[in-house]
Amino acid sequence: MPVKKNLGLAAEMGEDIDVTEEQAIEASAPKPAPPAPPPAPVTLSFEQLKELLASASATNNQSNAELVETITRGIAQSRQPIPEGTDQSNPQISAMNPLGDRDHPRPLLKHKITLGIAEPKSGAIQRTYPFEQNDLTVYELLALNTLPESGEYDVALYDGAKIKVKLVSNRDLATNDIIRTTIVLPNHVTQKGSQIKNMLPGAVGLVEQITGVNFAKVSNDELAVLMAAHREKHYVSGVVTTP
């Protein structure tokens, strides 16, 4: 019901009076304007703030420059901790790379490399197991990158039994670059239910029997040189030193 401003007239007319005079006066008074919304916060990144403070201090004295350094250092210390593995100070040393991926990134595989078998009748190669970049240690990457493109080799399994493996490479028809190398194993090694595949050496041991180089035995200094060479696509298997 609307607020009645003239209570006496309303009473004479027999209307119900549902507010007191004080309430009527209060209701008829002009409403105060709503408070203005707070200003939008000014957001600056940490680097932007450092630049702003540095710019301000450039025209002032040494004490202001020291204040800038104190403020920026305090802000840096108050920031939330960076999740493990993303901090730039973390060398990212692991079993995958004892030199650390920060300072010595692992090289890439030079091209796709897989294990496979040959169909008995047609001789067509069936690729069964690809070596994945992210699953390989730096030693395995270096070893696989030095595989020859073709040839047949005798390889000893962990139990001493000998098998023959064959390297077969495929080339890009346009560039003639090798795009894949398959290490072809005897069919009985990988057939379903066979336990022989568990006797197969790992990538480093397999390559050692093919090339004669055991990358797991290189020193850290040699490892750093080899990694740098492979990152530049120079797939050397030994450390080249200058006189």
Side-chain angles (χ1 to χ4, degrees), residues 203-217:
V204 174
L206 187 61
V207 173
E208 179 186 8
Q209 296 191 58
I210 293 173
T211 66
V213 179
N214 186 343
F215 283 91
K217 292 183 178 180

Side-chain angles (χ1 to χ4, degrees), residues 44-205:
L44 290 175
S45 70
F46 177 62
E47 292 302 324
Q48 288 172 327
L49 181 57
K50 284 177 63 177
E51 292 175 5
L52 182 63
L53 293 172
S55 175
S57 68
T59 57
N60 291 299
N61 56 29
Q62 180 64 27
S63 63
N64 281 343
E66 293 174 355
L67 177 61
V68 169
E69 177 62 25
T70 300
I71 292 174
T72 54
R73 185 170 58 248
I75 293 173
Q77 292 173 349
S78 66
R79 290 184 299 175
Q80 292 295 320
I82 298 174
E84 184 179 356
T86 62
D87 188 348
Q88 291 184 353
S89 66
N90 183 354
Q92 301 179 38
I93 293 173
S94 69
M96 305 293 283
N97 182 359
L99 300 185
D101 282 336
R102 183 194 66 182
D103 299 325
H104 300 276
R106 281 176 288 168
L108 300 176
L109 273 178
K110 60 182 179 181
H111 51 247
K112 294 179 180 179
I113 300 177
T114 66
L115 296 178
I117 59 173
E119 293 290 341
K121 293 183 178 180
S122 65
I125 294 175
Q126 177 184 346
R127 291 179 286 275
T128 59
Y129 178 83
F131 290 97
E132 300 289 351
Q133 171 77 32
N134 292 336
D135 296 335
L136 298 171
T137 69
V138 64
Y139 303 106
E140 292 170 329
L141 287 166
L142 294 173
L144 291 170
N145 277 347
T146 60
L147 279 173
E149 62 181 83
S150 61
E152 291 190 8
Y153 304 88
D154 290 324
V155 169
L157 303 177
Y158 283 137
D159 61 1
K162 293 287 187 72
I163 61 171
K164 275 196 177 295
V165 302
K166 183 178 181 180
L167 300 182
V168 177
S169 296
N170 302 103
R171 294 182 177 273
D172 184 282
L173 295 178
T175 65
N176 203 39
D177 293 334
I178 296 176
I179 57 175
R180 180 187 292 108
T181 295
T182 304
I183 306 171
V184 183
L185 305 171
N187 290 25
H188 69 276
V189 173
T190 60
Q191 67 185 4
K192 187 175 181 180
S194 170
Q195 297 301 313
I196 303 176
K197 58 179 174 288
N198 298 327
M199 296 289 106
L200 192 68
V204 174

